[in-house]
Amino acid sequence: MRKLLEYYRSRVLVFVGYDFFSNGGAWRSIYRVFRHKEANGEAVMLINRCNQKTFRQMVAALCLSPRLLINGLGAFTRWEGIAACLLRKDILIYLHDTEYMIELFARTFPWKFLLFRRIIRRNPVLCVSRQMQEYYTAELGVRQVHVIREALAIPSKPDFEPGYRHVVMVGSMDERKGVPFFSAVAEQANALSLGWKFHWVGGVASQTLGTLSERVHWWGWQEAPYEFVNRADLFFLSSLDDPLPLACLEAMGQGKRCVVYRKTGIAEMIAGVRGCAVYEDYSVASAIDAIRRVMKELPDSDTLIKITKKHASVSAWDSKIQQIIQS
C-alpha cells in the first residue's frame, strides 16, 4: 500500500482522457507527449477512461497526484469528469474545440454546460490557438487560458553504430515480451565478442523488470518504429508467449531475418525459410546459436514477403472471413 501511495504522489503530471484511440485526433498530442516524457524517464502517468478498469486509478490520482491534465471537451459529457474538476481547481483542462463544438455541447448537455462553464472560469485552461484563446476569454469568461499547440509525431531516425550487426526487438517492455531474456542474450553476445548491437523499441509496461542491460539501447516508445526494423540486420523476437506479434510480421513484410521462440505463432510461418530460425529452448544459449546461424545467411526476402502477404494482409484476412461466412 505504501508503494502505491508513493507511486501516485510522485507522478508530476497525470494525463486523463475519455476519448483515447477514438477516430478523432484530439487525443493524439497528449498521447505523444506522454510517451515522449515516459521514454525520457519522467514520472508521468496516463489514465485512459475509455477503459472501465481505470476507475480506481482515476480516484487515486485525483486524491494523491500533485497535478492532473484532463483532455478534451468529451471529458465533460461524463459526470465523473465534471466532478473531478469541481473537486480540484488546479486540474489543467486542454480544449481543442471551436465555437461550433462548444455551442453544440451547450445545446446537447445544457446542465453539464453550466457546470463546464463554471469550471473553466476557475481552472487553468489550455487551448490550441490564439483565436480560441480570445473566444474562451471573451465569450466564456475564462481567466487563465494558455496557448499550447498540438504536438506532431517525432519521426524515428535511429542512429545505428557502423561496423556492427544490429538486432532489434519491438514491443512493450514487460516480462511476457522477454525484456530480462533480451538483456541476458545481449550480455552473452557481448561476452562472446560477437559484434552485435541490441536495440529495444517500446515503452515501459511493467514496473518489475529488474536491471536493464547496458548492452541494449532502450529507445522507448516510438510512434512509427518502421525505420528501426528497416535498418536492422535481424529481428529477434524474445517473447516467451506471443500469439502472432504484429511487429514481427512487419519485419517479415520487410524481408528481414527473424529469430523466434518455438511457442510463438510466428514460428509456424517462418520454419524452413532461409535467413530465419526457430529456437527450441527458451535459453540464452539456444537463442545465441539461432542468431549466429541466421547472421551467416542471406535472408530469402522474397519468400518472407510472399508469406506475409498470403497470410497477414488485409485481403488475406478478408478472404478467410468470407470463406468462413459462406461455409
Side-chain angles (χ1 to χ4, degrees), residues 1 88 145 153 167 188 192 194 209 232-233 270 309:
M1 178 61 75
R88 287 185 56 168
V145 56
V167 179
Q188 181 65 11
L192 295 172
L194 295 175
L209 294 173
D233 294 287
I270 65 170
K309 286 182 178 179

Side-chain angles (χ1 to χ4, degrees), residues 49-106:
R49 287 301 293 125
C50 295
N51 182 349
Q52 295 180 354
K53 295 181 180 179
T54 60
F55 178 72
R56 291 182 179 179
Q57 292 180 357
M58 181 66 185
V59 173
L62 191 62
C63 295
L64 300 170
S65 298
R67 183 52 59 92
L68 280 73
L69 185 153
I70 285 187
N71 187 60
L73 185 62
F76 297 92
T77 63
R78 303 265 294 268
W79 287 113
E80 176 194 301
I82 291 171
C85 292
L86 286 173
L87 286 170
R88 287 185 56 168
K89 64 181 181 181
D90 64 339
I91 291 178
L92 296 164
I93 300 165
Y94 193 17
L95 297 176
H96 314 258
D97 308 278
T98 61
E99 181 178 356
Y100 172 83
M101 294 303 297
I102 297 292
E103 290 181 352
L104 178 62
F105 177 75

Side-chain angles (χ1 to χ4, degrees), residues 15-319:
F15 299 98
V16 181
Y18 292 79
D19 61 349
F20 284 121
F21 312 112
S22 64
N23 290 331
W27 59 272
R28 296 181 185 274
S29 291
I30 290 298
Y31 191 73
R32 288 165 183 157
V33 170
F34 162 71
R35 287 299 192 183
H36 176 72
K37 293 173 81 66
E38 180 190 49
N40 286 313
E42 297 185 44
V44 293
M45 182 179 185
L46 183 138
I47 299 177
N48 177 13
R49 287 301 293 125
C50 295
N51 182 349
Q52 295 180 354
K53 295 181 180 179
T54 60
F55 178 72
R56 291 182 179 179
Q57 292 180 357
M58 181 66 185
V59 173
L62 191 62
C63 295
L64 300 170
S65 298
R67 183 52 59 92
L68 280 73
L69 185 153
I70 285 187
N71 187 60
L73 185 62
F76 297 92
T77 63
R78 303 265 294 268
W79 287 113
E80 176 194 301
I82 291 171
C85 292
L86 286 173
L87 286 170
R88 287 185 56 168
K89 64 181 181 181
D90 64 339
I91 291 178
L92 296 164
I93 300 165
Y94 193 17
L95 297 176
H96 314 258
D97 308 278
T98 61
E99 181 178 356
Y100 172 83
M101 294 303 297
I102 297 292
E103 290 181 352
L104 178 62
F105 177 75
R107 292 194 302 270
T108 308
F109 306 101
W111 289 105
K112 290 177 180 176
F113 174 73
L114 291 175
L115 293 170
F116 163 75
R117 188 168 61 181
R118 176 182 175 182
I119 288 166
I120 63 174
R121 287 176 175 177
R122 183 196 64 175
N123 286 48
V125 172
L126 313 176
C127 67
V128 298
S129 69
R130 286 194 298 273
Q131 186 180 53
M132 290 300 94
Q133 183 183 40
E134 292 169 3
Y135 167 69
Y136 294 144
T137 302
E139 301 298 326
L140 298 175
V142 180
R143 298 185 184 93
Q144 304 177 66
V145 56
H146 310 273
V147 176
I148 298 185
R149 313 284 186 185
E150 302 283 10
L152 293 175
I154 300 172
S156 297
K157 294 182 179 179
D159 184 17
F160 283 6
E161 191 175 349
Y164 293 90
R165 310 298 291 278
H166 293 275
V167 179
V168 167
M169 166 64 179
V170 179
S172 300
M173 292 176 63
D174 60 25
E175 293 86 347
R176 180 172 162 266
K177 291 286 186 181
V179 168
F181 185 60
F182 195 85
S183 285
V185 171
E187 290 287 344
Q188 181 65 11
N190 179 72
L192 295 172
S193 301
L194 295 175
W196 303 341
K197 292 288 185 180
F198 286 75
H199 309 263
W200 188 294
V201 182
V204 177
S206 171
Q207 303 299 320
T208 59
L209 294 173
T211 303
L212 301 177
S213 171
E214 294 182 359
R215 304 300 175 186
V216 179
H217 191 143
W218 306 97
W219 291 91
W221 180 82
Q222 303 285 327
E223 186 164 348
Y226 173 88
E227 195 60 29
F228 289 88
V229 177
N230 186 44
R231 297 189 186 190
D233 294 287
L234 181 144
F235 189 99
F236 172 42
L237 183 65
S238 56
S239 301
L240 174 63
D241 169 47
D242 221 333
L244 202 68
L246 289 174
C248 195
L249 283 174
E250 289 165 357
M252 290 170 57
Q254 294 179 53
K256 292 293 177 179
R257 297 179 181 88
C258 295
V259 171
V260 307
Y261 180 46
R262 65 181 175 85
K263 290 187 177 180
T264 60
I266 296 291
E268 63 197 57
M269 298 178 69
I270 65 170
V273 178
R274 189 181 72 247
C276 295
V278 177
Y279 53 99
E280 293 295 317
D281 302 316
Y282 196 71
S283 67
V284 171
S286 183
I288 289 281
D289 181 60
I291 296 172
R292 247 176 167 166
R293 284 187 283 109
V294 167
M295 283 294 198
K296 296 176 183 178
E297 302 174 347
L298 285 175
D300 187 349
S301 297
D302 290 342
T303 297
L304 283 170
I305 293 168
K306 287 177 183 177
I307 290 172
T308 308
K309 286 182 178 179
K310 181 179 179 180
H311 297 287
S313 65
V314 172
S315 58
W317 195 98
D318 186 55
S319 177

